[in-house]
Amino acid sequence: MKKCKYMILFAALIIVGCKSSLLETQPYDRIGEEQMWQTEAQAIMGINAIYNNLRDENVYREYYMLDCLSPYAYGYDRLEQEMAGTATTFSATYTNKWRELYKGIQRANDALFHIPAMETVDPTLKDRLIGEAYFLRALHYFNLLDFYGSVPIYEEPIAYDEAFNPRNTVEEVRAFIRADLDAAETLLPATYSASEFGRATKGAAIALRGKLALYAGDWQSAEEDFKTVMGMDYSLHPVYSELFRSETERNSEVIFSIQNVAVQGLGENLSFRLGTRATRGSCWTNGVPSPILVDSYEMEDGSPFVWDNVISGYSNMSLEERDALFRDPDVIKTVYEGRDPRLQQTIITPYADYLGANNVTYTLAWPFVNDIQPYFHIRHNWNANALYLWRKFVSIGDESLMREDGPIDFPVIRLADVLLMYAEARNESLGGPDNEVFNAINQVRQRAGMPELQNSDGSNPTYVANKEEMRERIRKERAVELATEGVSYSDVRRWKIAQEVCNGPILEFTTRVLKERVFTARDYLWPIPQAEVDQNDQLEQNPGWQ
């Protein structure tokens, strides 16, 4: 096949070692192919270019914003049409993700085409680089499969004006991804030195392969892969909130994460999108937690949160009665007391404090008022609709000096996720929970400070009797444990419950409407971008998008 004449390579491509240091790079911008793939350094640079593509906002830089398409968050100025169900095949959301995912695949294909024949690369390093390329190509294709379903497979570099393959079947795409991950598992090391932190590992390949099987409903294969990862050298970090702070983000729970550093063009924008005017840099609050998520956090004894149990007669109150009652800070604060500790570690609730810019402590008032000093400034155009705010991933005090280039790594796969996916796969495979299912989910709950689930005392609020009850517990555990990590949108789609849980109004505790949401049958898959369909008449559009 004719290959693209030039390959775009960015200078600073992946963060390794201490957060103040990067791979030593040269001022490459556009390198002619005849000059590329000559030296070992260029081989490494070519692989780093694939990692760099993960940091695009359409791949993982703003992956967390996908929670706004799940029941557990909502937002403004981002994904508006997708939340409202008015997006078309011309939507930039769909077009840009497709383009950037295939850009990463093109880079991986280029590396896999050239590196095996490079005699200038040490054989051990060459195997590792090839393994990284296989993993990264698989990760890009996994995302294509998740969002678009069946897609064209390209296994070698190809020019854009020659990319006319038809869509492969879902089974073919899944088999292709699995083959890449099988190869990656064989070639990748289990660990790296600290200076290479962030590169793909054997554990990452196995975990992604398990996730691929889980999404396909292949419970046994998923269970086997997750069990293997659970037996490797990973462990839950003891403090949940520290997983999302730059000082403690590199820990034994991380299986694969997107590396960020506080340098222009090399950092994350989590605080920019999720923070407020009180956050250093005066941030935008594009996404906020929904009341559905907040109500999902259990009481500290493991019983479900129920409004009537906290506020007597709540369900029979009118909007006006609730509005008047909740203007008393002492009343509203009781709603969030005695709950799962992850609630306050993840979300800023009414009358909770937040250490903001210049190390000033701010208080979130409800309703939004200016008589609490200092008070939160949210974006003026919709501050009345922001009931809750994110604490997770948002910078504290002056720790992040650049609002759009923060230092916090973004987790793609971590052990808690693997434990919950293992519990899900085994519960479905066996037709009900056994001790291993309980043990897996309870490890996550124990770290959070929540009581263990059990099957011996039917009067205990943590009692789980059967597969269906455990399924619901696992789903709620995923919602609170993985909040604003972007996976909830994929969860509700793969469980085929999105039409039930992502439709209709999002209501405040007064029953005032905060946001209207629409999700129809067509939205389980994104459309093939119209520009791609127009160029390639072999691409058949997804159902409901014709």
Side-chain angles (χ1 to χ4, degrees):
M1 291 184 180
K2 178 181 176 182
K3 297 181 290 296
C4 294
K5 185 176 180 181
Y6 295 102
M7 178 180 177
I8 305 297
L9 292 177
F10 293 90
L13 298 165
I14 185 175
I15 299 147
V16 296
C18 298
K19 278 304 187 82
S20 60
S21 66
L22 304 175
L23 278 178
E24 185 177 349
T25 60
Q26 299 180 38
Y28 291 114
D29 184 11
R30 300 178 70 88
I31 302 177
E33 218 172 291
E34 62 275 10
Q35 282 82 46
M36 185 59 184
W37 308 112
Q38 301 298 313
T39 68
E40 188 172 280
Q42 288 176 344
I44 295 171
M45 192 176 189
I47 295 298
N48 291 347
I50 318 170
Y51 283 100
N52 191 59
N53 198 69
L54 298 177
R55 299 183 57 260
D56 184 273
E57 69 178 48
N58 301 288
V59 184
Y60 279 107
R61 177 172 166 84
E62 294 193 0
Y63 194 82
Y64 58 90
M65 286 297 294
L66 291 170
D67 266 27
C68 290
L69 301 180
S70 81
Y72 307 120
Y74 61 103
Y76 290 79
D77 293 342
R78 312 293 286 182
L79 301 172
E80 285 275 15
Q81 293 180 329
E82 290 74 21
M83 282 185 278
T86 60
T88 71
T89 57
F90 294 94
S91 166
T93 298
Y94 309 140
T95 299
N96 294 343
K97 184 175 283 291
W98 176 282
R99 182 193 65 236
E100 293 305 321
L101 288 172
Y102 271 112
K103 182 190 291 184
I105 289 166
Q106 173 78 348
R107 293 180 179 184
N109 285 342
D110 213 17
L112 289 167
F113 184 86
H114 288 95
I115 292 177
M118 292 181 68
E119 297 181 354
T120 56
V121 182
D122 173 78
T124 301
L125 175 61
K126 180 187 290 188
D127 282 349
R128 193 200 82 191
L129 295 177
I130 293 171
E132 290 178 80
Y134 276 126
F135 172 82
L136 293 168
R137 184 169 70 177
L139 183 59
H140 282 81
Y141 268 120
F142 176 86
N143 278 278
L144 281 169
L145 180 64
D146 183 17
F147 290 100
Y148 302 95
S150 60
V151 294
I153 294 174
Y154 294 98
E155 196 170 356
E156 294 183 347
I158 189 170
Y160 176 74
D161 59 4
E162 295 179 356
F164 297 129
N165 285 6
R167 297 174 73 171
N168 291 82
T169 66
V170 166
E171 292 75 21
E172 289 170 340
V173 177
R174 191 177 293 126
F176 185 82
I177 296 170
R178 183 178 179 87
D180 273 4
L181 293 171
D182 288 345
E185 177 192 6
T186 301
L187 295 167
L188 289 173
T191 60
Y192 290 89
S193 64
S195 64
E196 299 285 1
F197 186 90
R199 294 189 178 276
T201 62
K202 189 182 298 292
I206 299 170
L208 183 58
R209 190 174 63 199
K211 191 171 182 177
L212 177 72
L214 184 80
Y215 278 32
D218 182 357
W219 311 123
Q220 185 172 355
S221 296
E223 180 186 337
E224 290 172 357
D225 277 338
F226 295 140
K227 184 73 169 179
T228 298
V229 175
M230 289 158 57
M232 300 177 75
D233 195 23
Y234 299 106
S235 60
L236 292 176
H237 187 67
V239 182
Y240 176 76
S241 60
E242 290 183 353
L243 290 166
F244 318 108
R245 303 260 60 88
S246 59
E247 298 86 354
T248 45
E249 63 194 3
R250 294 187 171 191
N251 56 71
S252 58
E253 183 167 341
V254 176
I255 296 173
F256 187 73
S257 60
I258 307 302
Q259 304 296 289
N260 293 297
V261 68
V263 173
Q264 186 171 358
L266 297 174
E268 38 78 13
N269 65 353
L270 289 152
S271 289
F272 178 56
R273 296 290 181 207
L274 305 181
T276 68
R277 295 304 193 199
T279 307
R280 185 177 177 90
S282 188
C283 299
W284 282 20
T285 325
N286 291 117
V288 294
S290 75
I292 296 171
L293 174 63
V294 174
D295 291 356
S296 297
Y297 288 88
E298 298 171 357
M299 305 304 293
E300 59 188 359
D301 67 354
S303 62
F305 168 77
V306 178
W307 276 95
D308 282 320
N309 292 346
V310 180
I311 305 293
S312 179
Y314 168 84
S315 59
N316 295 320
M317 291 180 183
S318 67
L319 186 154
E320 292 75 15
E321 289 173 323
R322 292 177 183 179
D323 186 82
L325 180 65
F326 291 136
R327 287 177 184 272
D328 181 346
D330 291 333
V331 171
I332 195 170
K333 284 191 289 187
T334 62
V335 174
Y336 310 104
E337 295 172 351
R339 304 279 293 276
D340 182 331
R342 287 171 294 190
L343 172 58
Q344 294 300 331
Q345 295 170 6
T346 303
I347 296 167
I348 302 171
T349 57
Y351 294 98
D353 291 339
Y354 162 71
L355 185 64
N358 301 313
N359 293 311
V360 173
T361 298
Y362 292 79
T363 300
L364 176 61
W366 185 91
F368 181 77
V369 292
N370 290 350
D371 59 2
I372 296 180
Q373 299 290 341
Y375 55 85
F376 272 106
H377 274 300
I378 310 171
R379 293 197 71 192
H380 66 85
N381 60 324
W382 68 283
N383 55 38
N385 284 349
L387 174 59
Y388 303 113
L389 300 170
W390 291 114
R391 189 186 301 275
K392 182 175 173 178
F393 285 128
V394 176
S395 66
I396 299 172
D398 294 331
E399 72 173 345
S400 180
L401 303 182
M402 304 174 69
R403 68 178 188 175
E404 294 189 68
D405 288 289
I408 300 173
D409 292 349
F410 184 76
V412 176
I413 308 174
R414 56 186 179 91
L415 182 60
D417 188 9
V418 167
L419 287 166
L420 294 176
M421 289 191 290
Y422 172 77
E424 177 183 346
R426 188 167 178 84
N427 183 57
E428 298 294 337
S429 175
L430 296 178
D434 66 353
N435 288 338
E436 289 195 41
V437 174
F438 278 99
N439 180 60
I441 191 172
N442 282 336
Q443 287 185 57
V444 178
R445 291 174 64 84
Q446 286 172 340
R447 188 266 299 278
M450 291 297 291
E452 295 184 2
L453 302 182
Q454 49 83 32
N455 61 357
S456 59
D457 180 3
S459 64
N460 193 301
T462 61
Y463 177 73
V464 179
N466 52 45
K467 179 180 78 171
E468 289 71 27
E469 290 184 6
M470 178 57 79
R471 177 189 291 155
E472 289 306 307
R473 286 283 194 166
I474 291 169
R475 290 180 178 183
K476 286 187 177 181
E477 197 68 31
R478 289 186 63 79
V480 299
E481 173 69 24
L482 304 172
T484 199
E485 294 181 40
V487 299
S488 291
Y489 177 55
S490 293
D491 279 350
V492 296
R493 287 186 299 115
R494 69 184 176 88
W495 293 329
K496 295 294 185 285
I497 62 172
Q499 283 177 273
E500 174 188 348
V501 299
C502 296
N503 259 320
I506 296 175
L507 301 176
E508 186 185 62
F509 43 59
T510 62
T511 69
R512 184 171 59 95
V513 175
L514 300 172
K515 191 78 172 180
E516 291 282 356
R517 295 281 300 279
V518 175
F519 190 104
T520 64
R522 72 169 191 172
D523 297 312
Y524 281 104
L525 290 177
W526 287 7
I528 307 302
Q530 192 61 46
E532 301 296 329
V533 174
D534 291 344
Q535 174 171 299
N536 182 359
D537 59 12
Q538 296 194 76
L539 291 178
E540 183 179 346
Q541 188 55 272
N542 276 327
W545 293 97
Q546 293 88 345

